[in-house]
Amino acid sequence: MKSRVIKALAIVSVFTAALAPAGAQAEWLRADTKHFILYSDGREAELTKFAVEAEKFDSLLRSWFKVGEHEDAIRLPVFIMKDSETVSKLRGVEKGALGGFYQALPEGAYALSNRAKPVSKFSGTGQQILFHEYTHHFFTRYVSGSYPTWLFEGFAEYFSTTTFDKDDSYTVGNIANSRAYGLTAGQNLPIERILTDGLTGLNRQQTDVYYGRSWLLTHHLMSDAAGRAQLSEYVKAFNSGTPPREAAESTFGPFEKLDQDLVALTRKGMVAFSSKEPIGYDPTVRITPLDTVDSELLELHINRIVQFQPDETLSKLRALAAIAPDRVGVLAELARAELETARKAGSAEATAIAVAAAEGTADKVLALDPDNVSAAMTKGLAILEHDDGNPSDEDVAAARKMFVKANNADPEEPRPLYEYFRSYAQYSGRPPDIAIQGLEAAFTKAPEIVDYRVALAFAYANLGRFDEAMSLVRYLAYHPHMAEHGKRLIEQLEKMREQREEFEKRLADAEEEESED
């Protein structure tokens, strides 16, 4: 009996190893902290250090921007890959061109970085990449208002080079060596262009200069009390609706003079801010080794959310489910992948087959774990794909029940609230107040997710609350990677406002004529 067990385990081990992507050797570790869930297939000591530094960094940002703790805040998953080549392959870009990135999907936000040692002092480290991306995440979730592209990236670059000493004291504003080439040898990009426009239309070299000079200006302004006061005045003007050019010129003075000051700054060097006071943070890190199946599952989960070889990922998930048929996590991930395949099936018949598969797998999960949020969500979303995305009223009602089930199982999960609202907005006309309140709660929990933000903006617009709607999408109009989308949304909202005002005017005129009669 003992030899059979050993052989069975050996077969499973060999089979799952064959399923793994090229380069995947070690089993993964999970590190749980107060604000993060980190995963790595590297050494435990390395992961622990990553986790501790991340917690220190969160505390640093909270201290600088006076952000308190939020009860039941959603922790950020962080996937630490072997090196930039692995990251680049996942993203489908040039080998070694990408060291990490951040995404905020409807199912949740995540960051992806790497643990390789930098090849030179001009290469960013995995920790710097994580700090950069987490600054974006932190600002979007906790810091109110909108920020122009240069400052959004400038803050991320400025804080990314933060270092902590053994006594937990810290230094902020260290030189961003990875931007050295762009600042010294890259194509010239006047500060006027940076302060008045975003990244659209720039080539790769110009983009590097944009990031570098944004960091340089941010560093310059953050280096003393007078500069920070200027920056605060600028942000206030920007958020009051002052056009970017006017806000910049009225605060920073002539662009030509500012350009000269920044050039001089690159020559004489900059001073970082060091604090001898230790940063307070929660040092608790709980390390959990993942077994072979869960390690393979994690890799396939990463592949799915970054959309790396989706067909192959689905095949591997099915193979993994065949050898681990009672693993709820495996089946839940498979159901999600099957549903995503259904949406890209290409024909009504293929879609129907894939939707049925996703529903069937979700049902298996719910039979094993009736309160599984992922499976309830997948089943509800699959029901809405009936008849090639044209569900009946009965289907929509059934889908809503699944979203309510998911919400009851985990009231802190925002997506069930969002999908409940969307089931009305997309299929049943005007959503009831309870659905709008649910959407507001979802956005409050995860304002970094663009889908929630846009849905809430148009919900407000439909209620005539256009100023609130504009405030929500204005953030996108200056986002480094969504500016064009944000501008189109503003145009749509402006058109809705005009139509509503015209309708209300005609209605008032009609009522006045009726009263005169």
Side-chain angles (χ1 to χ4, degrees), residues 381-404:
L381 293 169
I383 291 171
L384 294 178
E385 297 293 337
H386 285 184
D387 293 326
D388 204 21
N390 295 290
S392 65
D393 291 345
E394 291 76 14
D395 286 332
V396 174
R400 276 188 202 127
K401 287 182 180 179
M402 297 310 298
F403 301 147
V404 170

Side-chain angles (χ1 to χ4, degrees), residues 48-227:
T48 300
K49 186 175 188 301
F50 232 107
V52 169
E53 298 295 284
E55 278 298 329
K56 290 179 184 177
F57 188 66
D58 174 87
S59 292
L60 173 77
L61 292 180
R62 290 178 189 277
S63 174
W64 273 64
F65 295 99
K66 297 178 173 57
V67 174
E69 289 291 346
H70 290 65
E71 292 299 322
D72 302 317
I74 300 169
R75 292 183 294 166
L76 180 69
V78 179
F79 306 108
I80 304 169
M81 313 307 290
K82 179 183 177 183
D83 50 33
S84 61
E85 291 185 11
T86 306
V87 176
S88 299
K89 182 180 178 182
L90 282 170
R91 204 62 169 159
V93 298
E94 180 184 343
K95 182 178 179 181
L98 189 64
F101 57 89
Y102 167 84
Q103 268 195 308
L105 304 171
E107 69 178 82
Y110 71 92
L112 197 145
S113 188
N114 76 87
R115 54 187 170 81
K117 292 182 179 179
V119 295
S120 75
K121 70 175 184 178
F122 298 108
S123 302
T125 67
Q127 178 175 290
Q128 288 173 1
I129 291 168
L130 176 58
F131 285 3
H132 177 107
E133 301 300 350
Y134 188 65
T135 301
H136 286 325
H137 177 77
F138 186 91
F139 261 66
T140 308
R141 179 172 284 190
Y142 297 120
V143 182
S144 61
S146 299
Y147 291 83
T149 302
W150 74 267
L151 188 54
F152 194 72
E153 292 297 348
F155 269 135
E157 288 290 287
Y158 178 76
F159 285 103
S160 71
T161 56
T162 298
T163 55
F164 299 96
D165 292 331
K166 291 181 179 179
D167 62 357
D168 295 336
S169 61
Y170 60 89
T171 301
V172 174
N174 291 301
I175 302 301
N177 288 321
S178 59
R179 298 301 174 192
Y181 177 81
L183 287 170
T184 59
Q187 297 179 17
N188 181 47
L189 200 63
I191 200 66
E192 178 180 1
R193 168 64 176 79
I194 292 170
L195 288 170
T196 58
D197 208 345
L199 296 169
T200 303
L202 300 183
N203 61 34
R204 185 170 176 176
Q205 278 192 324
Q206 290 171 326
T207 298
D208 193 36
V209 177
Y210 189 103
Y211 274 80
R213 300 205 84 193
S214 295
W215 162 75
L216 186 64
L217 178 55
T218 303
H219 193 292
H220 171 59
L221 294 168
M222 292 289 285
S223 293
D224 56 41

Side-chain angles (χ1 to χ4, degrees), residues 104-417:
L105 304 171
E107 69 178 82
Y110 71 92
L112 197 145
S113 188
N114 76 87
R115 54 187 170 81
K117 292 182 179 179
V119 295
S120 75
K121 70 175 184 178
F122 298 108
S123 302
T125 67
Q127 178 175 290
Q128 288 173 1
I129 291 168
L130 176 58
F131 285 3
H132 177 107
E133 301 300 350
Y134 188 65
T135 301
H136 286 325
H137 177 77
F138 186 91
F139 261 66
T140 308
R141 179 172 284 190
Y142 297 120
V143 182
S144 61
S146 299
Y147 291 83
T149 302
W150 74 267
L151 188 54
F152 194 72
E153 292 297 348
F155 269 135
E157 288 290 287
Y158 178 76
F159 285 103
S160 71
T161 56
T162 298
T163 55
F164 299 96
D165 292 331
K166 291 181 179 179
D167 62 357
D168 295 336
S169 61
Y170 60 89
T171 301
V172 174
N174 291 301
I175 302 301
N177 288 321
S178 59
R179 298 301 174 192
Y181 177 81
L183 287 170
T184 59
Q187 297 179 17
N188 181 47
L189 200 63
I191 200 66
E192 178 180 1
R193 168 64 176 79
I194 292 170
L195 288 170
T196 58
D197 208 345
L199 296 169
T200 303
L202 300 183
N203 61 34
R204 185 170 176 176
Q205 278 192 324
Q206 290 171 326
T207 298
D208 193 36
V209 177
Y210 189 103
Y211 274 80
R213 300 205 84 193
S214 295
W215 162 75
L216 186 64
L217 178 55
T218 303
H219 193 292
H220 171 59
L221 294 168
M222 292 289 285
S223 293
D224 56 41
R228 290 192 291 273
Q230 261 192 315
L231 189 56
S232 178
E233 180 185 342
Y234 167 79
V235 171
K236 184 177 180 180
F238 181 82
N239 275 281
S240 70
T242 304
R245 177 182 294 276
E246 183 182 336
E249 284 187 308
S250 63
T251 307
F252 305 134
F255 291 133
E256 185 177 352
K257 174 67 166 58
L258 184 57
D259 249 327
Q260 293 169 355
D261 291 344
L262 292 180
V263 170
L265 193 60
T266 59
R267 290 172 180 162
K268 74 175 185 179
M270 291 156 288
V271 179
F273 172 82
S274 294
S275 171
K276 297 304 179 184
E277 293 296 320
I279 192 75
Y281 70 101
D282 187 337
T284 306
V285 179
R286 187 173 72 255
I287 300 291
T288 305
L290 303 187
D291 65 17
T292 304
V293 171
D294 281 341
S295 292
E296 172 65 9
L297 173 61
L298 179 64
E299 291 181 348
L300 294 174
H301 170 73
I302 295 170
N303 288 354
R304 181 183 65 79
I305 60 177
V306 303
Q307 290 296 295
F308 175 70
Q309 299 179 343
D311 292 338
E312 184 178 341
T313 297
L314 176 59
S315 296
K316 289 180 177 180
L317 278 167
R318 284 176 171 157
L320 190 60
I323 62 171
D326 295 328
R327 289 284 187 105
V328 168
V330 173
L331 294 174
E333 189 71 24
L334 173 59
R336 283 183 172 182
E338 288 172 331
L339 180 59
E340 289 172 3
T341 300
R343 291 168 174 161
K344 303 172 185 176
S347 71
E349 182 180 0
T351 297
I353 293 171
V355 166
E359 278 192 74
T361 305
D363 284 335
K364 290 179 183 178
V365 176
L366 293 170
L368 294 167
D369 178 10
D371 291 330
N372 190 280
V373 174
S374 175
M377 290 302 303
T378 300
K379 184 172 176 63
L381 293 169
I383 291 171
L384 294 178
E385 297 293 337
H386 285 184
D387 293 326
D388 204 21
N390 295 290
S392 65
D393 291 345
E394 291 76 14
D395 286 332
V396 174
R400 276 188 202 127
K401 287 182 180 179
M402 297 310 298
F403 301 147
V404 170
K405 178 181 176 67
N407 175 248
N408 289 336
D410 185 358
E412 298 306 320
E413 177 63 39
R415 193 176 187 186
L417 299 170

Side-chain angles (χ1 to χ4, degrees), residues 389-456:
N390 295 290
S392 65
D393 291 345
E394 291 76 14
D395 286 332
V396 174
R400 276 188 202 127
K401 287 182 180 179
M402 297 310 298
F403 301 147
V404 170
K405 178 181 176 67
N407 175 248
N408 289 336
D410 185 358
E412 298 306 320
E413 177 63 39
R415 193 176 187 186
L417 299 170
Y418 164 70
E419 296 296 352
Y420 182 80
F421 166 86
R422 205 166 68 91
S423 72
Y424 281 99
Q426 189 166 346
Y427 301 105
S428 305
R430 187 182 185 280
D433 289 346
I434 191 172
I436 296 173
Q437 291 163 7
L439 178 61
E440 289 175 324
F443 177 73
T444 299
K445 294 174 188 294
E448 66 273 11
I449 297 179
V450 173
D451 300 65
Y452 300 176
R453 179 182 293 270
V454 173
L456 186 57

